[in-house]
Amino acid sequence: MFRMMNNMITPKTLTNSLNYEELLRSLENEIKSSSETNLTLVRLNENVRGIDLQNGAEIIFIKAGATGAEILEELELEDGSDAKFSLNDSYYNNKLPKDENAIACFGDIIKVISEDSSESKSYVIMEDNSGKSISTQIEAKEMNSIIKEIDNINKVIKLVEPVNGLMASDLIEMIVAKDGSNQVYDVQGIEPIFDDALITKDNKLDLVTEEEKFVVISENRYNTTRYTLEFVK
């Protein structure tokens, strides 16, 4: 008769707790678990326009306005194995989990954890904006007493500070793209550090201070330039 000796499993204990076929299936599944994290497209391609694994960063190009759920439906692993997928906020927002029904934004992350949980990979989301402007050069919308100079070479905006201060929202309204394209603007308190959240003026009614950054994102959303704000007499 076989017995449990020093926590060892004997044939008798296996027979009592788990039949051999179930055991073999369990071991087979464990052995087959994959560490794959490379994505491929399920089909071409309503919401996902492409995946770039070749240029040192994993990028998923999507149709503007696609939700996380719509994107994930069109992705699978290269070897067909199961994995955990999640939509997370961008690097700039600490990569926190995001509702999959929310619209995926430029810089958001699709995180993939392999079937065996041994590997993970983060894919950066970018919109497929081919044909749109890559320029981040700016100019004053019109002549005014506040913007003294915009230096597109040295990335400096020189301002004359109003007596009552200058709100971020007002500064944003004074600036346009030099080529007339549809850029995105923001004002940030510090230079960004990779993997850390940007300190952004969430309240555009906040006053601008010297050495803050005026952020310009190009129309195709791939290029970002940060202009240093300087107050001059």
Side-chain angles (χ1 to χ4, degrees):
M1 181 181 293
F2 293 95
R3 298 179 183 278
M4 182 80 77
M5 300 290 292
N6 297 325
N7 294 324
M8 293 177 61
I9 297 177
T10 69
K12 184 172 181 63
T13 58
L14 281 174
T15 302
N16 290 340
S17 62
L18 185 69
N19 69 50
Y20 288 112
E21 289 184 4
E22 290 174 338
L23 175 63
L24 289 174
R25 280 197 298 270
S26 175
L27 291 174
E28 185 179 8
N29 289 335
E30 189 68 25
I31 291 169
K32 287 184 177 178
S33 291
S34 171
S35 61
E36 181 66 73
T37 56
N38 282 346
L39 291 173
T40 189
L41 293 174
V42 175
R43 58 184 180 274
L44 291 174
N45 39 32
E46 178 66 25
N47 296 293
V48 180
R49 302 298 172 82
I51 301 172
D52 185 356
L53 300 173
Q54 305 302 317
N55 296 310
E58 288 73 29
I59 298 172
I60 297 175
F61 295 96
I62 68 165
K63 180 184 77 174
T67 67
E70 289 170 337
I71 295 166
L72 294 178
E73 282 181 2
E74 298 180 15
L75 299 172
E76 65 180 6
L77 294 183
E78 284 186 347
D79 67 356
S81 59
D82 292 326
K84 297 184 182 72
F85 299 89
S86 64
L87 174 67
N88 290 19
D89 268 329
S90 70
Y91 283 108
Y92 305 142
N93 292 321
N94 285 335
K95 299 180 288 185
L96 297 174
K98 188 171 181 176
D99 186 341
E100 288 183 2
N101 292 317
I103 292 175
C105 301
F106 171 82
D108 281 352
I109 304 296
I110 296 290
K111 186 173 183 180
V112 180
I113 300 176
S114 65
E115 185 179 45
D116 65 3
S117 300
S118 68
E119 301 288 338
S120 67
K121 186 174 288 185
S122 293
Y123 292 77
V124 179
I125 288 175
M126 292 187 177
E127 293 178 4
D128 179 21
N129 286 327
S130 51
K132 294 188 177 180
S133 173
I134 63 173
S135 174
T136 56
Q137 293 202 348
I138 54 176
E139 63 185 5
K141 185 181 293 186
E142 55 190 25
M143 296 295 293
N144 61 66
S145 61
I146 294 175
I147 297 178
K148 185 169 184 179
E149 179 186 356
I150 295 178
D151 184 344
N152 283 295
I153 296 175
N154 296 307
K155 314 305 179 193
V156 176
I157 301 175
K158 296 181 179 180
L159 304 167
V160 177
E161 186 175 15
V163 175
N164 296 321
L166 175 63
M167 289 189 296
S169 58
D170 289 339
L171 177 59
I172 288 171
E173 285 298 316
M174 295 176 186
I175 289 175
V176 294
K178 220 174 177 185
D179 66 357
S181 59
N182 185 27
Q183 296 169 336
V184 174
Y185 304 133
D186 197 6
V187 178
Q188 295 170 345
I190 61 168
E191 197 68 51
I193 301 173
F194 186 72
D195 259 2
D196 282 355
L198 291 172
I199 296 179
T200 299
K201 286 188 175 296
D202 294 324
N203 184 354
K204 295 299 185 290
L205 300 181
D206 286 348
L207 295 179
V208 171
T209 60
E210 194 164 29
E211 296 301 319
E212 289 186 332
K213 305 297 179 181
F214 188 86
V215 181
V216 180
I217 301 174
S218 63
E219 183 179 48
N220 72 353
R221 305 299 186 257
Y222 299 162
N223 296 326
T224 301
T225 299
R226 291 171 176 84
Y227 291 76
T228 300
L229 301 179
E230 291 184 3
F231 288 120
V232 296
K233 299 297 185 184

